[in-house]
Amino acid sequence: MGRVLMTLAAAAAVVACSVATMVVRRRMKGRRKWRKVVGILKDLEEACETPLGRLRQMVDAIAVEMQAGLVSEGGSKLKMLLTFVDDLPNGSERGTYYALHLGGSYFRIIRVHLGGQRSTLEVQDIERHSIPTSLMNSTSEVLFDFLASSLQMFIEKEGNMFNLAQPVKRELAFTFSFPVKQTSLSSGVLIKWTKGFAISEMAGEDIAECLQGALNKRGLDIRVAALVNDTVGALSFGHFHDPDTIAAVVFGTGSNACYLERTDAIIKCQNPRTTSGSMVVNMEWGNFWSSRLPRTSYDIELDAESMNSNDMGFEKMIGGMYLGDIVRRVILRMSQESDIFGPISSILSTPFILRTNSVSAMHEDDTPELLKVARILKDLGVAEVPLKVRKLVVKICDVVTRRAARLAAAGIAGILKKVGRDGSGGGRRSDKQIMRRTVVAVEGGLYLNYRMFREYMDEALRDILGEDVAQHVVVKAMEDGSSIGSALLLASSQSVQTIQSV
Ligand code: ADP
Ligand code: MG
């Protein structure tokens, strides 16, 4: 009996021992896997580092590239496009104007009425719609007919509100968020599509003419009287409200900037024909590139798999279209190299499945258990991960967004440097009297809706400029500024008023 008991006790000890060994092994394996993902995160953090010194190099590089792009056509990755806009709206405009804005994700139609004073600007109607993805790679005909029909419905809603004796001729600004070589304020040809648009045989086409043709086909009596880059619309809106506004930046699906330049600095343009002595230049900064940009293997993969590889390198690091996909790629790599996210999810392997608004929702999740992170991961086919893994995901969002925001700040500081508003001119940095108040208008869904992006950007801009200079620089957010501003710009360019309100 005693022997049997001893045998049983020995067997139990052996079992306990091997269970303990298994547990220890599993724990060690778990720790190894955890160390592996922590290593991936550390590598990401290092590759995304943007210390102040590096940001200042970016500022210098942007200012140099701006200069090169102004000297000769094709002299820089920054196209520095002429806009033929010299006078910006100042508040005295009158009349009723329309704008149709084709962005990267949304299109908007607005009608504004201007009463001759800033305070009398009235946005009478505004519609925002998602751009159906099928349109992005359709044909020119389909795209423009879609825009024309949307405008037709917008106008039909008006009924007979204008009640004019004579037939009404409506004036429209076409706000276009893709690179265009302007030939006048009201015409210009598409250089290339960006942001996932791929409608063939359109490069080289006059965009305003395409829209006008589609409107005519539908018998709509609307004149496409201005073709306006979205950044220029935002600058116009900013300037209308505050004449110290000298630049505008859009952080939406993509990213771009424009600013007011002295015509004598636009060397590539022999005869700029402006009365004000300056012209708005559309930088097309999404295409900025420098070997000093903090690029990761995820950026390289994203670029290689994109429709426009080797193009729009800056936009792919800061644009709302791309941030979500960079985060997705990091999570995917972690899930491939360890099982902390469970079995590899096929959803997670789908390009662009993680949108940047989900990134901000995870990043700004203030629930103690990170329940929003859990929900979004579940949608990606990653269910039931422990809290520490959810925290890791938040950290990835933070690293990717912080880099984007700091690079964005360097871009803005680059413009300020180019126009001599960064306080660095001639060692006069400490002389406060020479610093003029400078306003930069900012618009776009990424900036407006992603608080952490905004905070990181504002902080980096202050760090780059230093407190003394930063106190003279105001970054002003303006919702729908691109669309409204384009209508204002059209109004300021017209001597004759069109529709008068009833
Ligand atoms: P468009 O680029 O069509 O002009 P927006 O300026 O509204 O449109 O920008 C839309 C983009 O802004 C979205 O594609 C997304 O990348 C980003 N965005 C919108 N909302 C959020 C959000 N809550 N958090 C983070 N990014 C957002
Ligand atoms: Mg936009």
Side-chain angles (χ1 to χ4, degrees), residues 101 103-106 108 177 251-254 320-321 356-357 360 443-446 449-450:
H101 175 183
S105 307
Y106 300 95
R108 303 156 178 85
S177 310
F251 299 109
T253 308
M321 174 170 169
T356 303
N357 33 7
S360 69
E443 94 115 273
L446 181 68
N449 301 317
Y450 196 165

Side-chain angles (χ1 to χ4, degrees), residues 187-260:
S187 59
V189 297
L190 177 71
I191 297 174
K192 63 185 176 189
W193 288 111
T194 55
K195 299 179 276 201
F197 273 68
I199 300 171
S200 54
E201 291 165 21
M202 269 206 68
E205 295 279 315
D206 189 311
I207 294 303
E209 249 175 42
C210 289
L211 180 61
Q212 187 69 69
L215 297 175
N216 295 349
K217 253 194 209 158
R218 285 183 170 264
L220 294 171
D221 197 9
I222 304 171
R223 190 169 77 97
V224 183
L227 178 61
V228 186
N229 182 264
D230 56 339
T231 58
V232 181
L235 178 60
S236 301
F237 188 63
H239 198 271
F240 177 90
H241 287 293
D242 188 334
D244 288 338
T245 312
I246 55 131
V249 189
V250 170
F251 299 109
T253 308
S255 184
N256 188 18
C258 74
Y259 73 109
L260 207 52

Side-chain angles (χ1 to χ4, degrees), residues 18-64:
S18 48
V19 168
T21 314
M22 262 168 58
V23 169
V24 169
R25 270 205 200 126
R26 199 171 286 166
R27 252 190 223 151
M28 278 172 51
K29 205 171 159 204
R31 277 203 201 117
R32 266 204 307 275
K33 283 181 180 164
W34 182 248
R35 271 205 299 274
K36 182 120 198 161
V37 291
V38 170
I40 295 175
L41 176 65
K42 201 158 156 274
D43 289 347
L44 175 75
E45 282 181 288
E46 277 172 20
C48 287
E49 259 174 22
T50 49
L52 202 49
R54 192 171 205 170
L55 290 183
R56 293 219 166 99
Q57 289 175 337
M58 292 292 110
V59 172
D60 292 344
I62 288 169
V64 166

